[in-house]
Amino acid sequence: MAASGIVFVLFVLVHMYGNLKAFSGEVAFNEYAHHLRIFGEPMLPENGLLWIIRIVLLVSLVAHVGSAVALMRRARAQRPVKYQVKRNNASSLSSRTMRWGGLTLFVFLIWHLLNFTIVKINPAGDQSADITENPYRLMVSSFDLWWMTLIYLVAMLALGFHLHHGTYSALQTLGWVNSASARAKAKIAGWVIAIVIAGGFSLVPLAVLFGVID
Ligand code: HEM
């Protein structure tokens, strides 16, 4: 779970950084998107890097969900009778929302890929190639819709909670949370990663909605 989680953290960090190119304008953003497709040519074929990333992400997703299911089964086997008392306060909001948050992120990812990568749906209605084949235009016309921005902001909230608790758990798995001060530092690390990544991702939809990017 921790190893596949680290792959995801690295991916979302780089993806978030790449999205900020939108603040440099349409040409810079689309050039960056195009560069990703021809990266490593002629050593790699066109889209070669992209396919390597896709395969690594898919394998990580299978490992991540598989580990989550195995952990849930193990926890259930240890405690066949449900808790009769309220959960204690030590379990933070983000730890309790890991399963639902993870599921929310999975549903978001399916919509996200249909929207921007696999089908290239423009929810604003104009399905002409001028928009759907232009990553920047597709993004701007999507986030011009308040409800699309809202969906993304809710998803980024789920991502923030998931990253916060996931980072803490991964550090624990790696054996780095073995004292009160290490626990406090691991929590801070979780918040920093969550705020930088989820906050960074939220900037582009918000900038489009408020007309800073158009
Ligand atoms: C506000 C948040 C986000 C925005 C604006 C955004 C934007 C985009 C855009 C424009 C593309 C298409 C790029 C292209 O055609 O070159 C894309 C692809 C993708 N995004 Fe996001 N993204 C966001 C959040 C996320 C998150 C949180 C994840 C993961 C959980 C994610 C995973 C992906 C994946 C896997 C691809 C497909 C890459 C490929 O196979 O071509 N994105 N995103």
Side-chain angles (χ1 to χ4, degrees):
M1 187 123 235
S4 50
I6 290 169
V7 170
F8 288 135
V9 169
L10 291 176
F11 170 75
V12 282
L13 191 63
V14 174
H15 185 12
M16 182 277 291
Y17 176 75
N19 281 2
L20 296 180
K21 273 263 173 225
F23 286 98
S24 306
E26 180 171 347
V27 174
F29 186 83
N30 285 348
E31 217 166 69
Y32 159 76
H34 177 65
H35 199 77
L36 275 180
R37 286 170 173 73
I38 56 162
F39 192 93
E41 276 188 19
M43 293 268 282
L44 293 173
E46 195 181 338
N47 286 327
L49 174 74
L50 225 49
W51 274 108
I52 293 171
I53 296 174
R54 284 169 183 161
I55 291 166
V56 169
L57 287 176
L58 206 62
V59 170
S60 303
L61 187 64
V62 172
H64 209 67
V65 175
S67 314
V69 171
L71 281 174
M72 271 190 273
R73 284 215 181 117
R74 202 185 297 166
R76 203 168 296 153
Q78 300 277 345
R79 180 173 289 282
V81 181
K82 277 196 167 182
Y83 279 109
Q84 295 300 315
V85 289
K86 274 193 169 176
R87 287 165 196 261
N88 63 35
N89 291 331
S91 67
S92 65
L93 179 65
S94 39
S95 79
R96 276 180 271 130
T97 52
M98 277 321 255
R99 289 173 203 173
W100 286 109
L103 205 63
T104 306
L105 286 173
F106 186 70
V107 173
F108 158 77
L109 192 62
I110 292 173
W111 167 237
H112 181 52
L113 294 181
L114 290 175
N115 180 196
F116 285 137
T117 308
I118 304 173
V119 187
K120 300 182 196 245
I121 308 167
N122 176 12
D126 183 348
Q127 306 298 343
S128 68
D130 285 351
I131 292 199
T132 55
E133 294 306 321
N134 178 330
Y136 180 89
R137 281 284 134 231
L138 183 57
M139 200 165 67
V140 169
S141 65
S142 298
F143 294 134
D144 263 336
L145 300 169
W146 67 268
W147 55 268
M148 270 292 288
T149 296
L150 188 65
I151 289 176
Y152 271 72
L153 293 181
V154 170
M156 291 311 108
L157 198 66
L159 179 66
F161 277 121
H162 207 80
L163 282 172
H164 168 247
H165 185 73
T167 303
Y168 181 83
S169 293
L171 292 173
Q172 205 169 30
T173 306
L174 296 171
W176 293 343
V177 184
N178 44 22
S179 68
S181 85
R183 194 170 309 134
K185 280 185 196 144
K187 281 203 170 148
I188 293 171
W191 281 124
V192 170
I193 289 183
I195 291 168
V196 168
I197 295 179
F201 266 132
S202 304
L203 290 179
V204 173
L206 284 172
V208 173
L209 190 70
F210 291 112
V212 179
I213 292 179
D214 57 11

